Amino acid sequence: MKLSIIIPVYNVEKYISVCLDSLLNQDLNKEDYEILIINDGSTDRSKEIAEDYSRVHCNVELYNQENGGVGSARNRGLDLAKGNFLYFLDPDDFVLPNVLKTLIEFAEEKDLDILTFLSKQTTSSNLTLSSPSDAKSIIIGPIYKGQDYIANYNYRNEVWWYIIKREFIKNTEIKFIEDRWMEDAILTAELFLKANKMARLPLDAHRHLVVEGSAMTSKEPSQYLRVIDDNRNAAIVFESLIECLIEQKANHKCIERLRTRQQSFVFFMMVRMLKSTMNLEQVKIVMDSISNTNAYPLQQFYGKDYKGFVYFILVKLFNNMPVFYSLFRGFNPLSKLKK
């Protein structure tokens, strides 16, 4: 089997059909790929919809588990997968028609550990609005070691814009952190750093649906606080990754980009704290934990990956801790009143 597609599902009855339809509208033979739906304790009709697809399509399989979070569901799919390559897709996203065969053929031909491709954001789940890519004229980019790939490309944190050789990820023994968000940001960096052969195929293949009320966009206080804490955790995990690279005297551009990414977690965490239900003492505790790393102050955040006047001004303000606390005092009471 060439490909295993792993979809963690939790209460996505509005979107799952579009996701699955896009995966079935491909130029791969059904025996060449499997679609593994991991139902993570959904309480809406997601399970029933998935069951309907699994009854009709021989390459769609449904597995049910108690709610354990997206990391747990993805790890379950990783253990179950049989394909030579893996693809982790979110249930509210979709892929364009007839792109999977092209991706697999390039990955097989070059014997890649990881093949990345293009993704675009959309607010519409209408499949007919997305035109298929013309793969005939597309040329694959240079083959890099993972460190050199990071040095050359401003990569994304998410897992839905690349496919992974199953043997490679199994050998690394890397898995998703469970019971946290930002788990794919950590796994992506860890995997890339282990890869010996990576390449970028400029094929427009994926659509990320921006959903109001999702884990990363929700303004619900408890979720908002979880995202803040998971940004803090990601920044701390990145510290150990970067320290190992420094000891190895690794590609300095790779180290610089990872440091920028680490500080981006802190920057966006600080923005969220301004609008959160946290009190000042809680904010100080978080900032003290971050200050024990090189993630703060934000000395390497502003630059080629994050630039512009707004970023420039905010970094200046955020790097002055008394000023940031004053901003918090000014913004936070208004946010609490709104909530």
Side-chain angles (χ1 to χ4, degrees):
M1 184 176 291
K2 295 179 181 293
L3 176 66
S4 296
I5 303 166
I6 299 163
I7 309 174
V9 166
Y10 179 74
N11 290 355
V12 285
E13 62 181 5
K14 295 181 181 178
Y15 312 106
I16 185 63
S17 292
V18 172
C19 177
L20 294 174
D21 287 342
S22 76
L23 293 174
L24 294 165
N25 187 21
Q26 297 296 321
D27 47 5
L28 279 175
N29 294 325
K30 283 192 174 182
E31 59 267 23
D32 285 338
Y33 72 114
E34 62 180 354
I35 301 169
L36 305 180
I37 304 170
I38 313 299
N39 174 43
D40 191 40
S42 295
T43 57
D44 65 357
R45 292 192 64 253
S46 297
K47 177 184 175 182
E48 288 74 16
I49 295 170
E51 284 175 340
D52 290 341
Y53 277 85
S54 66
R55 278 194 293 267
V56 175
H57 301 280
C58 62
N59 61 336
V60 178
E61 300 179 54
L62 171 64
Y63 297 90
N64 297 299
Q65 66 177 35
E66 293 184 4
N67 181 253
V70 65
S72 169
R74 285 171 170 163
N75 284 336
R76 175 92 183 275
L78 175 58
D79 291 337
L80 293 166
K82 305 180 188 73
N84 295 331
F85 287 88
L86 305 179
Y87 180 37
F88 295 97
L89 180 64
D90 284 355
D92 45 5
D93 291 354
F94 56 94
V95 295
L96 273 61
N98 300 326
V99 295
L100 295 182
K101 183 179 179 181
T102 301
L103 294 174
I104 292 300
E105 286 178 346
F106 272 99
E108 288 178 334
E109 178 188 348
K110 304 297 183 181
D111 190 28
L112 299 175
D113 295 325
I114 298 172
L115 175 65
T116 70
F117 45 87
L118 302 184
S119 168
K120 295 180 182 178
Q121 286 190 349
T122 181
T123 56
S124 172
S125 57
N126 189 337
L127 289 174
T128 62
L129 297 179
S130 300
S131 302
S133 299
D134 179 12
K136 294 180 181 178
S137 59
I138 293 177
I139 300 174
I140 196 168
I143 296 176
Y144 290 114
K145 284 185 172 293
Q147 291 183 19
D148 298 327
Y149 184 97
I150 292 173
N152 282 278
Y153 294 113
N154 182 17
Y155 72 94
R156 298 188 63 125
N157 292 322
E158 302 87 357
V159 291
W160 31 250
W161 64 282
Y162 56 89
I163 60 173
I164 314 158
K165 184 187 290 184
R166 182 165 67 94
E167 182 184 16
F168 160 69
I169 190 173
K170 286 285 189 179
N171 289 340
T172 66
E173 298 183 345
I174 293 171
K175 287 199 169 186
F176 290 92
I177 294 174
E178 299 190 8
D179 199 31
R180 279 192 179 275
W181 292 320
M182 304 294 293
E183 79 291 335
D184 49 353
I186 294 171
L187 179 131
T188 294
E190 290 177 333
L191 277 183
F192 283 19
L193 290 173
K194 294 284 187 181
N196 285 314
K197 296 181 72 176
M198 279 189 68
R200 178 177 181 268
L201 185 69
L203 174 70
D204 183 16
H206 173 267
R207 290 292 178 271
H208 172 57
L209 183 65
V210 180
V211 179
E212 188 65 31
S214 68
M216 298 306 293
T217 62
S218 174
K219 299 300 188 293
E220 198 277 324
S222 62
Q223 290 197 18
Y224 211 74
L225 293 176
R226 278 197 64 184
V227 174
I228 288 171
D229 188 59
D230 288 341
N231 272 276
R232 179 198 61 80
N233 179 69
I236 291 172
V237 171
F238 263 57
E239 183 71 11
S240 60
L241 293 179
I242 294 169
E243 285 179 354
C244 287
L245 290 174
I246 292 173
E247 290 176 4
Q248 297 166 9
K249 298 182 179 179
N251 186 318
H252 74 279
K253 289 185 178 179
C254 170
I255 294 172
E256 288 175 0
R257 175 152 276 135
L258 288 178
R259 184 70 77 192
T260 297
R261 187 59 50 89
Q262 178 195 35
Q263 294 189 1
S264 77
F265 299 143
V266 176
F267 175 87
F268 293 110
M269 177 194 76
M270 294 175 76
V271 171
R272 284 179 175 271
M273 286 197 297
L274 292 177
K275 300 181 285 185
S276 74
T277 56
M278 298 172 71
N279 60 46
L280 183 59
E281 290 308 310
Q282 291 171 323
V283 170
K284 287 183 177 179
I285 290 171
V286 171
M287 293 309 300
D288 283 346
S289 69
I290 290 297
S291 297
N292 291 326
T293 71
N294 288 303
Y296 184 86
L298 307 172
Q299 295 174 333
Q300 290 179 244
F301 170 68
Y302 185 81
K304 62 181 181 180
D305 292 348
Y306 298 93
K307 55 189 175 183
F309 180 72
V310 173
Y311 280 136
F312 178 78
I313 294 299
L314 287 177
V315 167
K316 289 288 186 183
L317 296 173
F318 286 4
N319 277 344
N320 187 319
M321 194 72 78
V323 171
F324 176 70
Y325 291 151
S326 296
L327 287 172
F328 178 82
R329 292 188 189 96
F331 277 90
N332 191 248
L334 296 176
S335 289
K336 288 181 178 178
L337 286 174
K338 289 178 183 177
K339 289 184 175 66

